[in-house]
Every structure is written in structure tokens, then in C-alpha cells.
Amino acid sequence: METPQVLSASVRTLHTLPEEKPDLAAMRRWVGALLGDLPEDVRLDVLLVCTELASNAYEHADGPRTVRVHRHEDFVRIEVDDHTPADLPQLGESRLGDSRGRGLMLIAQLSRCWGTRAFPGGKTVWSEVSA
């Protein structure tokens, strides 16, 4: 995977995630390079949100999966698409027990807003992190 240049404001880029085995470290390097000029605390928040969204797509949905990063003047929008349209994720208690299922709560805390959007054959889960 090539290292992209730093994204300027109002630029969006797309990354297709591997089909079978997630390579979240490679995705984090890619996103970190895109946002290399942002303050470290903002970059780390974006990386954590990206990791949670992508992990959820592997855990709960079918591929193909893609990650989009759209940089604006005052926030970064992260979108992860998958191809399981059934249940849109909802914030609430974990059905996986006490030690799992807190990703959306974490995303909600780090984001200025987040949500879901269905499309034919799949869904997008997105988050906006203030920059």
C-alpha cells in the first residue's frame, strides 16, 4: 500500500479493506499519513475511530468493505461501508458481554456526531471528529 500525501481541506480519499483478514495496522498507517499535519491528539482520535468502525465491519458484516476519509477545515469525517444491510448498529448495551461491544460508545465519545446510512445492498457507518 502506497503512503498517500497529507490531505488538504475538502479532500476525500478511499481505501478498500482486504476481503478476508483485516489489516488494521496498514489502515491506521494509511490514515495517519493522510492526516500527518494534524495535532497528535486529533490524529489519535481519528485513528481510534477508524479502527473501531473497520473492526465492526469485519465482526458484524460482509465485504467488500471500504474506508473513506474526508478532511474538512474543522473536522475529519470517516466512513466505513460494508455489504450487510440488515441491522444498522445502535448505541446501547453490549450483547457480547461485559468485556466487548463498547466500540460505538467509544466512537460516540470521540466524535462530534456519528450515524448510519443504508444503501442498496449495504450500509455506511460514519463519524466526524473535530479537528
Side-chain angles (χ1 to χ4, degrees):
M1 174 183 322
E2 288 184 37
T3 302
Q5 294 183 6
V6 171
L7 280 183
S8 58
S10 297
V11 174
R12 181 160 92 178
T13 190
L14 171 82
H15 175 65
T16 301
L17 294 168
E19 185 62 33
E20 295 302 318
K21 183 179 177 196
D23 191 350
L24 299 177
M27 181 201 65
R28 288 173 61 89
R29 284 191 300 275
W30 175 76
V31 173
L34 289 174
L35 306 174
D37 64 329
L38 288 178
E40 183 179 18
D41 59 333
V42 173
R43 221 174 37 254
L44 291 174
D45 286 352
V46 169
L47 291 173
L48 185 52
V49 168
C50 283
T51 302
E52 287 298 326
L53 291 176
S55 294
N56 284 348
Y58 278 102
E59 180 86 16
H60 304 289
D62 296 326
R65 300 166 191 90
T66 57
V67 175
R68 281 185 304 282
V69 177
H70 190 172
R71 182 167 176 181
H72 297 268
E73 287 292 330
D74 60 342
F75 68 94
V76 176
R77 183 177 175 103
I78 306 105
E79 300 176 338
V80 175
D81 295 341
D82 65 56
H83 284 79
T84 301
D87 294 324
L88 297 177
Q90 295 186 10
L91 190 61
E93 287 189 30
S94 172
R95 60 181 167 68
L96 302 173
D98 290 340
S99 64
R100 299 210 34 222
R102 294 188 179 89
L104 285 180
M105 290 187 288
L106 189 62
I107 290 166
Q109 289 295 313
L110 294 173
S111 304
R112 69 183 207 162
C113 58
W114 73 276
T116 59
R117 179 179 67 243
F119 62 82
K123 66 181 170 294
T124 301
V125 184
W126 58 269
S127 168
E128 294 179 357
V129 176
S130 296

